[in-house]
């Protein structure tokens, strides 16, 4: 089994197609809690993370933002008291690319690292 979080992002995401649902389903065991959803007819990967307060949720949002900037691949982030909703998809293809799966795994790693430090 591949460690998705350590895979490099593909540089050609805008030229390659969406991930097939069967492939995505095959990776679901490596992405606990991530759910494919349609938003405005666009497939996305979505997960809600829980926190003890707003400050912790905001700190996580900022860490995800820093990751997104480093990789030049940006999610939708909704920060609320005690939770952050993260949605990954590739805008240029209008759907889910392997890069989104990799970034979802990296987001999980950020969350786990943050929980371990508390």
């Amino acid at each position: 089994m591949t460690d998705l979080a350590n895979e490099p992002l593909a540089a050609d995401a805008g030229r390659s197609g969406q991930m097939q649902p069967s492939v995505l389903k095959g990776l679901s065991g490596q992405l606990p809690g991530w759910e494919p959803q349609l938003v405005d007819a666009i497939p996305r990967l979505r997960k809600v993370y829980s926190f003890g307060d707003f400050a912790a949720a905001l700190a996580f949002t900022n860490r995800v933002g820093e990751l997104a900037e480093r990789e030049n691949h940006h999610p939708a982030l909704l920060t609320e008291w005690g939770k952050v909703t993260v949605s990954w998809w590739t805008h240029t293809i209008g759907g889910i690319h392997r890069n989104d799966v990799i970034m979802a795994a990296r987001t999980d790693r950020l969350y786990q690292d943050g929980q371990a430090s508390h």
Side-chain angles (χ1 to χ4, degrees), residues 21-71:
S22 60
V23 175
L24 184 58
K25 186 174 182 168
L27 294 171
S28 64
Q30 297 180 62
L31 298 169
W34 286 94
E35 299 177 352
Q37 292 195 325
L38 280 178
V39 178
D40 297 328
I42 298 172
R44 302 175 184 201
L45 279 176
R46 178 183 172 271
K47 184 172 183 175
V48 178
Y49 294 89
S50 298
F51 299 90
D53 56 32
F54 185 79
L58 183 60
F60 178 72
T61 298
N62 288 331
R63 288 194 308 275
V64 174
E66 291 166 2
L67 169 67
E69 278 297 294
R70 274 194 313 271
E71 297 296 348

Side-chain angles (χ1 to χ4, degrees), residues 2-9 30 101-103 105-106 109:
T2 306
D3 182 4
L4 289 170
N6 290 325
E7 282 188 31
L9 296 184
Q30 297 180 62
V101 173
I102 293 167
M103 293 300 282
R106 290 179 185 179
R109 185 170 59 192

Side-chain angles (χ1 to χ4, degrees), residues 5 9 33 72 77 81 101 113 116:
L9 296 184
N72 193 30
L77 297 165
W81 192 98
V101 173
D113 290 349

